[in-house]
Amino acid sequence: MDSAEVSTAVNEPLDLVKLSLSERVFIKLRGDRTVQGVLHAYDAHMNLILSDVEETITLVDVGDDGAVSNVRSVARNMEMLFVRGDAVIMVRPLLLYLCISNIMTKISSCFAQISPIR
Amino acid sequence: MGTLKSVDQFLNIRLDNIKVSDPDRFPHMMAIKNCFIRGSVVRYVQMPTGAVDTQLLEDATRREAKDNKK
Amino acid sequence: MSAISSFVNQQVQVILYDGRVIVGKLMGFDVRANIILADSVEREFSEDEGVEMVPLGLYMIKGDNVAMIGEIDTDKDATIDYSSIRAPPLNDIRF
């Protein structure tokens, strides 16, 4: 990969996912499941490949009256995982610098606005 | 669990010499040796780390993301 | 779809989206995984009694309903005493 080709701008939703390649991400899935792992690949369907994965499944007991009780979670680890895109609800980068760079952009744009005043 | 023999455009999967991970809970497939799984029922595919070149995947993903934008 | 072609004329077990298990001889299939089963039998799993075998005969199953097609090891299948197996029926498939 040429470094010139690597853009860090976020112009569309999938750019955020692109910036998370080889970084740890948190993913919310259908069926009360979440996974955390290092993102290695994705496509337009949101099919994903993750490594060093921890999956958490949230289980609840639902009574006859619909009352929810005994909420608990089970976790398991998987070394390399393909996740089918159908199940993906949300992808969240866990890396701090993305958030920081976001704030920095805002701060610098503030400065850009006030600098002409002198 | 089994040997991945083929995957098609729908991500339908052919697995050979399968083993059910929890046969006590799922004895329904005891006598099956090879199987075809419809892609649409798949949630995960677990694989050994050693079988995957992550750098290759990341480069290919970046390339595809770039191509899709054009 | 060539992945299924080796199963033709073999005993196969089909698991449907609603969790039903049907066993029969695979007579044919197409690209949508529509399949024809001859002499098919539904295997009803139950927690309270052994597996109930319900004869269904010649069936065409629409591919949309098929979750899995498995080639049966008939030698192994013959050694299994299904009347002694207790297991809840499979859940239907949903996300």
Side-chain angles (χ1 to χ4, degrees):
Chain A
M1 207 72 205
D2 298 341
S3 59
E5 290 178 8
V6 180
S7 158
T8 51
V10 179
N11 297 314
E12 57 169 56
L14 283 181
D15 286 349
L16 186 68
V17 184
K18 187 174 78 185
L19 288 180
S20 305
L21 280 170
S22 78
E23 302 288 349
R24 240 183 140 67
V25 290
F26 171 92
I27 291 150
K28 194 166 150 51
L29 298 171
R30 298 174 78 163
D32 301 323
R33 288 160 197 265
T34 63
V35 289
Q36 263 192 49
V38 179
L39 181 68
H40 295 297
Y42 68 89
D43 65 12
H45 304 288
M46 273 294 171
N47 295 319
L48 309 169
I49 294 176
L50 304 164
S51 69
D52 193 10
V53 182
E54 183 179 82
E55 181 201 33
T56 307
I57 309 170
T58 306
L59 299 165
V60 292
D61 293 337
V62 180
D64 295 333
D65 55 352
V68 172
S69 61
N70 191 19
V71 181
R72 61 210 184 277
S73 60
V74 224
R76 61 171 168 162
N77 293 286
M78 291 163 278
E79 53 181 38
M80 187 67 71
L81 190 70
F82 164 88
V83 181
R84 192 174 157 96
D86 297 7
V88 175
I89 296 173
M90 180 194 87
V91 179
R92 173 155 72 94
L94 285 172
L95 65 190
L96 202 55
Y97 85 75
L98 257 190
C99 313
I100 293 172
S101 70
N102 210 341
I103 294 165
M104 293 307 275
T105 317
K106 282 193 182 132
I107 293 174
S108 60
S109 69
C110 287
F111 277 117
Q113 280 168 17
I114 58 173
S115 56
I117 299 170
R118 293 262 162 190
Chain B
M1 194 166 83
T3 308
L4 184 60
K5 275 299 209 200
S6 68
V7 176
D8 68 15
Q9 60 192 1
F10 305 110
L11 299 183
N12 293 326
I13 290 172
R14 168 72 189 253
L15 281 186
D16 280 9
N17 290 315
I18 66 155
K19 253 202 185 84
V20 177
S21 308
D22 188 352
D24 292 332
R25 205 145 77 92
F26 300 107
H28 313 74
M29 292 172 64
M30 275 193 304
I32 295 177
K33 50 180 179 188
N34 307 322
C35 74
F36 164 89
I37 301 168
R38 215 151 180 283
S40 56
V41 306
V42 173
R43 179 184 288 120
Y44 301 138
V45 180
Q46 285 191 62
M47 47 208 153
T49 303
V52 180
D53 181 341
T54 53
Q55 193 56 53
L56 192 72
L57 281 175
E58 287 167 21
D59 291 349
T61 303
R62 285 197 186 95
R63 214 173 305 124
E64 192 182 275
K66 198 162 158 259
D67 291 348
N68 282 344
K69 245 179 229 179
K70 285 178 186 165
Chain C
M1 275 304 145
S2 59
I4 311 180
S5 54
S6 70
F7 298 165
V8 172
N9 289 321
Q10 307 285 320
Q11 278 293 115
V12 294
Q13 171 176 319
V14 180
I15 297 181
L16 302 182
Y17 255 73
D18 63 4
R20 276 189 286 177
V21 177
I22 298 174
V23 171
K25 185 176 165 191
L26 184 67
M27 304 308 285
F29 69 94
D30 66 14
V31 285
R32 296 178 172 175
N34 297 320
I35 53 171
I36 295 178
L37 289 183
D39 302 319
S40 56
V41 174
E42 181 175 350
R43 294 183 173 175
E44 284 188 1
F45 287 80
S46 152
E47 266 173 308
D48 309 320
E49 46 191 313
V51 181
E52 189 182 344
M53 305 288 187
V54 184
L56 301 174
L58 184 63
Y59 256 49
M60 187 288 240
I61 300 173
K62 210 159 167 266
D64 300 350
N65 303 301
V66 174
M68 189 228 58
I69 305 171
E71 180 185 359
I72 289 182
D73 181 340
T74 42
D75 295 335
K76 191 173 178 198
D77 197 50
T79 65
I80 299 170
D81 177 15
Y82 281 99
S83 66
S84 71
I85 290 175
R86 304 276 188 282
L90 292 172
N91 291 327
D92 57 342
I93 291 163
R94 69 205 122 81
F95 264 117

